[in-house]
Amino acid sequence: MTVRRGNTRASILEASVDLFGSRGFAATSLDDIAGRVGVAKQTLLYWFPSKDELLDAVLEQTALELAAVIEAAVRAAADAPLARIEAVVKAVFRPAVRRPALLGLVREVSRLSPAHAERLTMQVQPFVRRATDYLREQMDAGMLRRADPGLVIALAYATVTGIATEPEALRAVEWPVTAIGLRRLRNELIAFVLAALRP
Amino acid sequence: MTVRRGNTRASILEASVDLFGSRGFAATSLDDIAGRVGVAKQTLLYWFPSKDELLDAVLEQTALELAAVIEAAVRAAADAPLARIEAVVKAVFRPAVRRPALLGLVREVSRLSPAHAERLTMQVQPFVRRATDYLREQMDAGMLRRADPGLVIALAYATVTGIATEPEALRAVEWPVTAIGLRRLRNELIAFVLAALRP
DNA sequence: CTGTCTGTCTACCAGGTGGTAGACAAACCT
DNA sequence: AGGTTTGTCTACCACCTGGTAGACAGACAG
């Protein structure tokens, strides 16, 4: 029982994503995580030298997972730009809705520590740039209505995160979005984005 | 110097809004607040019996301020529904942008403590209901295009908060919204909302 | 002038925090 | 076999947290 199989690190990471996500970083103690994993706190500190580096690992893994999802969606989608855009929005939306707390964690972290925020942004950066380039390119080719690509992305990002985190923002009592359902909200959003971009 | 003038409570509240907003509730200690105000921690606990009740006071004051802003905007706006809606969106947007951290605080709180979240929601509730009623009424009168009022509000709320908190979500490096400017984003949003509602 | 009340302080505490030291058990490598 | 490495644990610590007890200084009422 002393030496576990090699999944300890992964279990710690998973539990950390859960707890940091649901309670927030500052409000989650190492003991909380250790308890969830069923391991001593010191085992955590064996795998991750400090709570800060554990947070980094959590963020990095989340970013990598999201990146993989987006890549797959892009690759699977048809070539037409509108279909591609719809696929990407849906791809981003799914994990955002399944784990809305992670978006909250991103906010908390970027408020708490500029260092973490910068690392995070650098991971997001390439995607933003690629999307910007793609939009501009398709606009130049006349496949999309001309607009400021940066503005399109900013608006889409803001809307997706806003929608995804809304039920968690004020989840206690009756609230329109709860009754309406995220899927419909998402479809409305996609319809809007596509309508705005159709040439 | 022992007895201050009556502004101590207000100063504590103000500093708490600032610090809870910028660093988050869990990451702000009573000593932090006391230090900012220039007072001993025990003076805080004289005015507010616990950190939790201080948080309640912060949230309540914020809600009251926001409510006042909205009321004023509605009263000052022209009677036409579209003008009213634009005024309300702008009114909500301004404080949301000036103190985006408060939206983050709302999220943190609703993750951390269902009790606080419920109190918060109950304060928001009447506004949501009034807005829903107003939209439905104007739609019935043919002044607005027919749509699900709840959906309109949910979408608008999500977009406003998403946009307002975006620069703070990932503020470290170059990010489209930083370059674009919130004002323009807001105007795009308003244009969209109005276009969607024009009969 | 004296007693009470209000507001602020210094001193302290119990409990929880992230983190360290080191023992030790299994596995792995000759 | 035996030594080394890897992974986990118990025990501990310095520090910080929210919160309490009580002293005390000014304001104010009689």
Side-chain angles (χ1 to χ4, degrees):
Chain A
M1 197 146 302
T2 327
V3 174
R4 284 174 174 252
R5 285 203 294 306
N7 61 348
T8 306
R9 194 190 141 100
S11 305
I12 293 173
L13 218 41
E14 190 186 336
S16 303
V17 171
D18 259 28
L19 291 174
F20 286 165
S22 60
R23 302 187 201 169
F25 175 71
T28 303
S29 76
L30 294 183
D31 275 319
D32 291 338
I33 302 171
R36 165 79 69 101
V37 179
V39 95
K41 175 177 60 169
Q42 291 65 19
T43 304
L44 262 66
L45 291 163
Y46 172 79
W47 289 105
F48 304 91
S50 74
K51 197 188 178 190
D52 257 35
E53 303 203 29
L54 175 56
L55 173 61
D56 270 335
V58 164
L59 293 176
E60 188 182 342
Q61 183 189 279
T62 307
L64 288 179
E65 280 175 15
L66 184 61
V69 169
I70 295 179
E71 290 288 354
V74 168
R75 207 158 306 153
D79 251 12
L82 289 176
R84 278 218 161 146
I85 291 168
E86 179 169 358
V88 168
V89 171
K90 279 188 178 168
V92 174
F93 210 83
R94 205 171 313 121
V97 166
R98 191 160 0 164
R99 293 180 178 280
L102 282 178
L103 288 170
L105 181 61
V106 167
R107 289 217 173 80
E108 180 189 358
V109 165
S110 65
R111 284 190 298 173
L112 218 66
S113 144
H116 284 106
E118 183 164 354
R119 249 164 287 157
L120 204 56
T121 313
M122 273 165 48
Q123 285 174 322
V124 174
Q125 199 83 8
F127 287 88
V128 173
R129 183 153 312 159
R130 256 181 68 190
T132 312
D133 291 347
Y134 178 76
L135 287 180
R136 187 174 297 117
E137 179 187 311
Q138 295 296 324
M139 286 169 184
D140 287 347
M143 303 295 288
L144 293 176
R145 194 201 308 187
R146 179 153 301 282
D148 181 336
L151 187 140
V152 170
I153 290 171
L155 209 50
Y157 172 82
T159 327
V160 168
T161 60
I163 290 179
T165 59
E166 184 176 6
E168 122 137 347
L170 291 167
R171 65 177 152 200
V173 205
E174 35 166 337
W175 178 244
V177 79
T178 315
I180 289 170
L182 284 171
R183 181 175 308 242
R184 200 167 144 216
L185 261 183
R186 184 201 69 182
N187 291 339
E188 293 287 327
L189 168 64
I190 290 176
F192 162 58
V193 170
L194 296 185
L197 288 176
R198 194 162 284 128
Chain B
M1 199 147 302
T2 328
V3 174
R4 284 176 174 252
R5 283 203 294 303
N7 61 348
T8 306
R9 195 192 140 98
S11 306
I12 292 174
L13 218 42
E14 189 185 338
S16 303
V17 171
D18 258 28
L19 291 174
F20 285 165
S22 61
R23 302 187 200 168
F25 175 71
T28 302
S29 75
L30 294 183
D31 274 321
D32 291 338
I33 302 171
R36 166 79 69 101
V37 179
V39 96
K41 174 177 56 169
Q42 289 64 18
T43 302
L44 262 67
L45 292 163
Y46 173 78
W47 289 104
F48 304 91
S50 74
K51 197 189 179 189
D52 257 34
E53 303 204 28
L54 175 55
L55 173 60
D56 271 335
V58 163
L59 293 176
E60 187 182 343
Q61 183 189 279
T62 307
L64 287 179
E65 279 176 15
L66 185 61
V69 168
I70 295 180
E71 291 287 355
V74 169
R75 207 157 306 153
D79 252 11
L82 289 176
R84 276 217 165 146
I85 292 168
E86 178 169 357
V88 169
V89 171
K90 279 187 177 170
V92 174
F93 210 83
R94 205 172 311 121
V97 165
R98 192 162 355 165
R99 293 181 179 279
L102 282 179
L103 288 170
L105 181 60
V106 167
R107 289 217 173 78
E108 181 189 358
V109 166
S110 65
R111 283 191 299 172
L112 219 64
S113 145
H116 283 104
E118 184 164 351
R119 249 165 286 158
L120 203 56
T121 313
M122 273 165 47
Q123 284 173 323
V124 174
Q125 198 85 6
F127 285 90
V128 173
R129 183 151 313 160
R130 255 181 68 192
T132 311
D133 292 345
Y134 178 74
L135 287 180
R136 185 173 299 118
E137 176 189 312
Q138 295 296 323
M139 286 168 183
D140 288 346
M143 303 295 286
L144 294 176
R145 193 200 313 185
R146 179 154 300 283
D148 180 336
L151 187 140
V152 170
I153 290 171
L155 209 51
Y157 172 82
T159 328
V160 168
T161 60
I163 290 179
T165 58
E166 183 176 8
E168 123 137 345
L170 292 166
R171 66 177 153 201
V173 205
E174 36 165 337
W175 178 246
V177 77
T178 314
I180 290 170
L182 284 171
R183 181 173 307 241
R184 204 169 140 213
L185 262 182
R186 184 201 69 183
N187 291 339
E188 294 286 328
L189 168 64
I190 289 175
F192 161 58
V193 171
L194 295 186
L197 288 176
R198 193 162 284 128

